[in-house]
Amino acid sequence: SSAAMAAARGRALLPPLAPLWARPGPRAPLRAAAAAPSQPLYDVVVSGGGMVGSAMAAALGHDIHFHDKKIALLEAGPRKEYDHMPDSYSNRVSSISPGSATLLSSFGAWDHVCSVRLKPFRRMQVWDACSEAMIIFEKDDLDDMGYIVENDVIMSALTKQLDAVADRVEVFYRSRAVGYTWPLPSHSCDTSPWVQVELADGRRLQTKLLIGADGHNSVVRKEAEIKTIEHHYDQSAVVATLHLSEATDNNVAWQRLLPTGPIALLPLSDTASSLVWSTSHEHASELLAMDEESFVDSINSAFWSNINHSDFIDTAGAMFRSAISLLKPSGTAVRQLPPSVAKVEPESRAMFPLGMGHATEYVQHRVALIGDAAHRVHPLAGQGVNLGFGDIACLAHHLSAAAFNGSDLGSLKHLLKFETERQRHNVSLIAATDLLKRLYSTRLAPLVLLRTWGLQATNALPPVKVRI
Amino acid sequence: QLSIFRLTAKRPFSTSRSSVDSEEIKKFQLLAQKWWDEEGEYSALHSMNDIRVPFIRDTLLSMSSNYHLGSPLSGIKILDVGCGGGLLSEPLARLGASVTGIDPLEDNIRTADQHKSFDPVLAKRIQYKSSSLEEIVEESMETFDVIVASEVVEHVADLETFIKCCSQVLKPEGSLFITTINKTQLSYVLGIVVAEKIMGIVPEGTHEWEKFVPPEELEHLLESNGFSVKTVNGMLYNPLWGSWSWMESTSLNYAVHAVKSGAQGQSGPTDALSETDIQQHSATAGTA
């Protein structure tokens, strides 16, 4: 009954009370399909073969409770061979947190990453372009804070681990999904209870659970009519592979927060770093168009120039710093100097537009969104793919328990648990990142002062730093 | 779950068809379509799977040495008595078991058959039959490894006959799992007044307090009919979250695991002389 469906959230309460605070409408768009028993039926279909989709399929494929299950991964592009890594670094890299590394090692992918190449970093130095304020993130023990890994290396590891469970996970390359048909939550006799997936070449699949890992323009999300809160920043990110002036330990990730946007230098090796420079679309196009020497000069100037400093801010900042050093002598940070860049790897410059997005729901009956399909964040926090890996760890945990309980994998009961856990985690991080981005996009003195003091205070306070 | 054969003192024992009250039939017929609405009338039974499936699964795993975590109940033949729409049969089948589900109401069996038909794995592993337990005894002597009677015995008129039939169709050392409701003041207040009349957790008129079974009575009947009771656990339903949990007290709902004694009518291990007893006996006999 529709009253029962409307009470999906408050389902156990007294019937008259439930609709008052239950979500409006049923948790499923209403397009039922006729039963089609001849089409292959999968337990899980993951739509999108990027890092997040592939890792999701691999995590389930290696799960003991999925031993007898059938999983399909749909990837629109062709299968790529990763056997021979080129000597030069790719310009698309990700900062992988220790938590993400743990997930990848849970199904054997991290070993492969380590055997190819990656760069651990021990600290992160973030500082304001308009003042001397700085914050250093560092772990107390000698553990790594994170790892800079080329996306191709991660994909290579994931492909290898997918091949290892090919009897359970079928990967469909060159298979773009063009349409989805949804079941009604309580199906009647002649309608199929499964999600129907239609591929571009006309093939059809059925699945008990559809996982949308198809990026920030997710078709799964759109077809499921899940709304997003979206914002296109007036910014693009410029990426490139850079060669340093001199070899150094290079185990620090650098980020300077310019008014035009943050510029980050992520270590790849002792002699190379990856650039991620978020700036206006116009400036980004200029950076791509200029000759290599000018490009290198721009980068060095962005890191070293004090052009945005004002005396007022500098004095105010210095005063605050002395105040802190009285109260907490170890609370001021020793500034390390970022490396200077000598040249840029030819052909490695690229740009892509930035935006922020968050889906209002991560799940519906028989549907779950993970990765950028669910949430899109500014790269300044270096969190993007880690949020996706966090989604995978959480969803795989709940699906594994559901499988071991003999439950229907598409049931909202455990999908809602995944949604609650991840939204709680993601929303605050996405909001904080967005706030930081906006806060650091200005030269206005009051806001600069606010963030200067805020940054300095944060740097001095261990509990806050640990949470970040 | 809601098998409804009910005998009055006046009618002789016969097939379920003639002994089933037509009023009860009508009531459950209306609900036959509602089984699979997870948020509907049977939502409490759906969420009961969250504790009764792990209970059955883990008990059976602990008794077996040869299993695979990917298909923990593989190779096990289970009889689900009073299967209703198949709410418990399906998860057990997904875990690898071969399940036979019986229920006297044809509409329930129809619903169950139709629901499993979309999943080829379930369609193969589960067989449903419109039948009472007595009707299958003759053709199923010592056939099943496990019998599950969940939310059934509180609807049965002659519990002892029911238990005897369970014993007949169970293999020696097979397991019997029962979940039911205790007969206490608390279960009247919460189980009937609140659950049925006030909150509508259970459709009104489903239960009759007179037929609730105290665990002591159930244990006694089991032990005197060739079973050894291994576990009795109290269960509690939280209506706010719609979820079940285990609890110490059996004053409301409870679950029982019993094992049919082995071949040659030997009683359970607690009654038999242990190896050391026998050795001591013969040792002392030798020296006497």
Side-chain angles (χ1 to χ4, degrees), chain B residues 132-141 165-166 168-169:
Chain B
S132 70
L133 182 55
E134 285 93 334
E135 283 170 339
I136 64 157
V137 164
E138 269 184 47
E139 72 210 26
S140 320
M141 296 293 287
C165 291
C166 286
Q168 284 173 300
V169 302

Side-chain angles (χ1 to χ4, degrees), chain A residues 1 4-5 7-9 11-15 21 35-36 41 43 64-69 185-194 208 365 401 403-409 411-413 417, chain B residues 33-34 36-40 43 46-50 53-54 57-58 61 68-72 90-92 94-95 114-115 118-121 125 198-201 237-243:
Chain A
S1 71
M5 294 212 293
R9 268 297 178 81
R11 61 192 171 121
L13 288 195
L14 300 173
W21 63 280
L41 173 64
D43 292 286
I64 185 108
H65 300 303
F66 271 73
H67 186 262
D68 286 355
K69 308 265 184 259
S186 316
H187 68 104
S188 58
C189 293
D190 45 5
T191 61
S192 166
W194 314 128
K208 300 173 188 173
H365 180 59
F404 194 43
N405 282 350
S407 302
D408 178 350
L409 289 176
S411 164
L412 261 181
K413 216 168 6 175
K417 289 187 197 160
Chain B
Q33 302 307 317
K34 309 288 178 108
W36 286 101
D37 181 0
E38 278 189 34
E39 318 297 333
S43 63
H46 277 277
S47 56
M48 197 193 281
N49 277 345
D50 293 342
V53 173
R57 174 197 77 206
D58 293 342
L61 282 178
H68 190 287
L69 282 176
S71 191
E90 288 201 4
L92 294 175
R94 279 197 200 97
L95 293 180
Q114 188 255 325
H115 194 265
F118 292 101
D119 184 339
V121 169
R125 286 187 190 158
I198 298 183
M199 292 191 72
I201 296 169
Y237 183 67
N238 181 334
L240 205 56
W241 304 122
S243 64

Side-chain angles (χ1 to χ4, degrees), chain A residues 123-417:
Chain A
R123 88 216 286 252
M124 214 160 83
Q125 181 169 307
V126 179
W127 74 110
D128 196 332
C130 298
S131 75
E132 292 297 305
M134 181 183 66
I135 186 167
I136 292 180
F137 295 92
E138 199 165 31
K139 285 215 167 158
D140 288 331
D141 37 24
L142 293 173
D143 276 351
D144 300 320
M145 264 202 76
Y147 312 90
I148 304 298
V149 189
E150 292 153 277
N151 293 355
D152 281 345
V153 172
I154 298 175
M155 281 306 305
S156 148
L158 294 175
T159 307
K160 189 154 168 280
Q161 290 313 101
L162 282 171
D163 287 343
V165 288
D167 53 336
R168 251 162 273 164
V169 184
E170 233 177 297
V171 185
F172 292 78
Y173 291 101
R174 299 183 192 276
S175 302
R176 176 184 308 281
V178 295
Y180 300 99
T181 315
W182 313 108
L184 297 169
S186 316
H187 68 104
S188 58
C189 293
D190 45 5
T191 61
S192 166
W194 314 128
V195 177
Q196 316 286 323
V197 181
E198 189 183 341
L199 301 180
D201 60 6
R203 276 180 301 171
R204 286 167 175 275
L205 315 168
Q206 299 186 87
T207 180
K208 300 173 188 173
L209 172 66
L210 173 70
I211 299 181
D214 46 351
H216 66 260
N217 285 322
S218 167
V219 174
V220 173
R221 188 187 70 223
K222 289 183 187 151
E223 296 270 307
E225 294 174 20
I226 293 176
K227 298 194 179 30
T228 44
I229 300 164
E230 275 183 316
H231 181 80
H232 299 287
Y233 296 126
D234 269 325
Q235 286 191 339
S236 285
V238 173
V239 295
T241 309
L242 306 172
H243 296 279
L244 308 177
S245 307
E246 48 187 43
T248 166
D249 266 338
N250 207 14
N251 52 16
V252 178
W254 306 96
Q255 182 155 250
R256 195 174 195 199
L257 305 168
L258 307 171
T260 48
I263 179 170
L265 220 53
L266 307 171
L268 289 171
S269 72
D270 288 348
T271 54
S273 285
S274 186
L275 173 78
V276 182
W277 191 347
S278 310
T279 183
S280 69
H281 298 307
E282 303 77 46
H283 188 215
S285 306
E286 279 171 31
L287 287 170
L288 248 56
M290 60 176 70
D291 61 273
E292 291 183 3
E293 260 192 54
S294 313
F295 182 66
V296 169
D297 286 341
S298 305
I299 297 171
N300 285 324
S301 157
F303 272 106
W304 292 84
S305 145
N306 282 342
I307 205 166
N308 286 303
H309 288 210
S310 78
D311 289 334
F312 170 62
I313 297 287
D314 279 351
T315 316
M319 271 172 44
F320 195 69
R321 223 176 12 261
S322 357
I324 290 186
S325 57
L326 282 175
L327 296 166
K328 203 177 182 308
S330 62
T332 55
V334 174
R335 180 189 296 280
Q336 227 179 297
L337 300 171
S340 74
V341 178
K343 65 183 188 78
V344 57
E345 177 77 27
E347 314 291 316
S348 74
R349 279 184 273 176
M351 68 186 257
F352 51 91
L354 298 177
M356 165 233 141
H358 191 249
T360 53
E361 294 164 354
Y362 287 4
V363 300
Q364 274 182 8
H365 180 59
R366 300 203 185 286
V367 183
L369 300 176
I370 56 173
D372 281 4
H375 42 70
R376 186 187 180 197
V377 75
H378 195 282
L380 92 90
Q383 286 308 304
V385 79
N386 295 310
L387 287 183
F389 286 142
D391 292 344
I392 293 172
C394 181
L395 183 56
H397 164 79
H398 286 292
L399 289 179
S400 181
F404 194 43
N405 282 350
S407 302
D408 178 350
L409 289 176
S411 164
L412 261 181
K413 216 168 6 175
H414 49 265
L415 293 181
L416 282 172
K417 289 187 197 160

Side-chain angles (χ1 to χ4, degrees), chain B residues 173 222-230 259-274:
Chain B
E173 296 183 43
L222 287 167
E223 295 272 349
S224 47
N225 283 285
F227 283 95
S228 167
V229 175
K230 300 291 181 190
V259 173
K260 175 177 168 180
S261 50
Q264 288 119 46
Q266 274 170 3
S267 24
T270 45
D271 292 0
L273 290 172
S274 65

Side-chain angles (χ1 to χ4, degrees), chain B residues 25-26 33 221:
Chain B
I25 283 271
K26 256 190 233 146
Q33 302 307 317
L221 281 173

